[in-house]
Amino acid sequence: MTAPATTALSRLAIGPTSTLTQRLDFVDFALGVEDELKDLNGTRGKYTKDTARVRKNMTRVQPTLKTHPTSLELSVLLPWALGGTPTGSGTVTYPLGDTPPTQFVGFDPNAGAMWLLSGVAVDEAKFKGTQGEALEVEFSMVGQDYSVSGFFPSLSLDLSTQPFLFTDCVLTIGSDAVQAKEFELSIANGIDRSRFFNSRTLTTLNKLTRKVSVRLAVPFGPFTDLFGIGAVGAAVNATFTNGNAVLSFALGSVRFNPKSPESPFQQEVMLTLEGEAYSPDGTTESLITTLAVGP
């Protein structure tokens, strides 16, 4: 009897070529592969359709990933999500870029051959912090093609560095440190998922726009003065520190949409701040990300 595909034994890796280079620990992963079948049966003098008039049409590859990455894994994920060329050593800066980088993604479901997705770009990246939890990274991706063949490479998981916890995070709005129950940073790259033209696969991963946004939930009592602060633009910084490993997100000017808090029954009133990040001076990017991997 064929062994079952057990998710705890599945494996995931990425690389700039089909020779995968970085193994990833992950929480959830979906291949998101769909081959569209086109039914070309028309009016034909009978109700029954014939299989000969069904053809394979377009292939859609739209994987999703949820992970609690180590600082070393983040050094691979950040340039993929943000798009720019990293600069510096020690503490590395990961800029935003206009052209979405692509990776090959290999997935071993612990049954049969390896799935290999090609031309995969990050359409939206979310970095989430919630009280009592690890920093969570979610990727919604777009790929061009896939194959099911071969074997998963011999790669080891990173055990030299650790994931970040939300307790590692210091948040500031303007010049003031704030406490928060939740934090979410989103980079939406606006990749055109419909650019097939007369091709079976996506012809190009064409980026149409980019939106950087942030959401925080803070206790309303100590931070009542934050209501409306984003209407004139406020700097937001989130820095995660675990020993020598430091991850920092700096947003120079966030315009929060003023939204009054709700008063749920017998609970603390929380103020939810949701806004979009902009360049503060017309030159500096809306988001500056740095990472020191640490030991």
Side-chain angles (χ1 to χ4, degrees), residues 29-57:
F29 178 75
L31 285 159
V33 172
E34 179 184 0
D35 283 327
E36 178 189 83
L37 299 180
K38 199 71 173 177
D39 182 351
L40 300 173
N41 282 278
T43 303
R44 49 213 324 275
K46 59 180 182 178
Y47 288 117
T48 301
K49 296 179 179 180
D50 289 309
T51 188
R53 295 186 68 90
V54 177
R55 293 192 60 192
K56 178 180 174 181
N57 194 22

Side-chain angles (χ1 to χ4, degrees), residues 11-295:
R11 296 177 293 175
L12 182 69
I14 63 174
T17 69
S18 58
T19 303
L20 306 174
T21 55
Q22 180 64 54
R23 177 100 177 264
L24 295 176
D25 183 297
F26 64 98
V27 178
D28 287 313
F29 178 75
L31 285 159
V33 172
E34 179 184 0
D35 283 327
E36 178 189 83
L37 299 180
K38 199 71 173 177
D39 182 351
L40 300 173
N41 282 278
T43 303
R44 49 213 324 275
K46 59 180 182 178
Y47 288 117
T48 301
K49 296 179 179 180
D50 289 309
T51 188
R53 295 186 68 90
V54 177
R55 293 192 60 192
K56 178 180 174 181
N57 194 22
M58 293 184 294
T59 293
R60 290 179 171 83
V61 180
Q62 300 180 355
T64 58
L65 169 67
K66 181 187 294 184
T67 179
H68 300 145
T70 65
S71 55
L72 179 62
E73 290 168 344
L74 274 169
S75 70
V76 178
L77 296 176
L78 284 172
W80 189 21
L82 302 179
T85 301
T87 59
S89 59
T91 298
V92 178
T93 299
Y94 296 88
L96 298 170
D98 293 340
T99 302
T102 61
Q103 295 272 2
F104 285 76
V105 177
F107 179 67
D108 171 20
N110 185 39
M114 179 181 71
W115 291 70
L116 185 66
L117 313 182
S118 57
V120 181
V122 178
D123 192 19
E124 184 174 17
K126 292 182 178 181
F127 299 84
K128 297 181 176 182
T130 305
Q131 67 174 13
E133 301 296 337
L135 174 67
E136 184 173 276
V137 177
E138 291 185 7
F139 282 178
S140 175
M141 298 169 280
V142 182
Q144 290 180 281
D145 210 346
Y146 77 98
S147 63
V148 186
S149 63
F151 301 95
F152 196 84
S154 178
L155 295 171
S156 299
L157 290 169
D158 172 39
L159 299 177
S160 63
T161 64
Q162 296 179 316
F164 290 101
L165 298 174
F166 195 43
T167 53
D168 297 329
C169 183
V170 173
L171 280 166
T172 60
I173 298 180
S175 58
D176 298 324
V178 299
Q179 296 171 316
K181 193 172 185 177
E182 297 175 359
F183 166 81
E184 180 180 303
L185 171 67
S186 171
I187 302 98
N189 287 314
I191 295 175
D192 187 352
R193 296 183 179 224
S194 63
R195 201 175 193 274
F196 286 89
F197 298 145
N198 57 322
S199 170
R200 185 182 60 81
T201 59
L202 283 173
T203 57
T204 307
L205 297 176
N206 189 32
K207 186 172 179 176
L208 301 175
T209 183
R210 179 174 61 226
K211 181 179 180 180
V212 179
S213 57
V214 65
R215 180 176 63 83
L216 304 96
V218 301
F220 185 56
F223 301 112
T224 55
D225 57 338
L226 291 181
F227 177 77
I229 188 174
V232 294
V236 175
N237 288 271
T239 301
F240 295 80
T241 303
N242 178 25
N244 293 325
V246 182
L247 170 66
S248 177
F249 299 111
L251 302 104
S253 179
V254 178
R255 293 296 185 99
F256 291 113
N257 183 29
K259 185 184 298 184
S260 61
E262 298 180 357
S263 299
F265 181 64
Q266 295 183 348
Q267 297 181 42
E268 182 175 2
V269 177
M270 303 295 292
L271 176 64
T272 299
L273 301 170
E274 297 179 334
E276 184 172 352
Y278 298 86
S279 169
D281 54 17
T283 302
T284 306
E285 276 291 357
S286 56
L287 170 66
I288 297 175
T289 304
T290 60
L291 173 67
V293 171

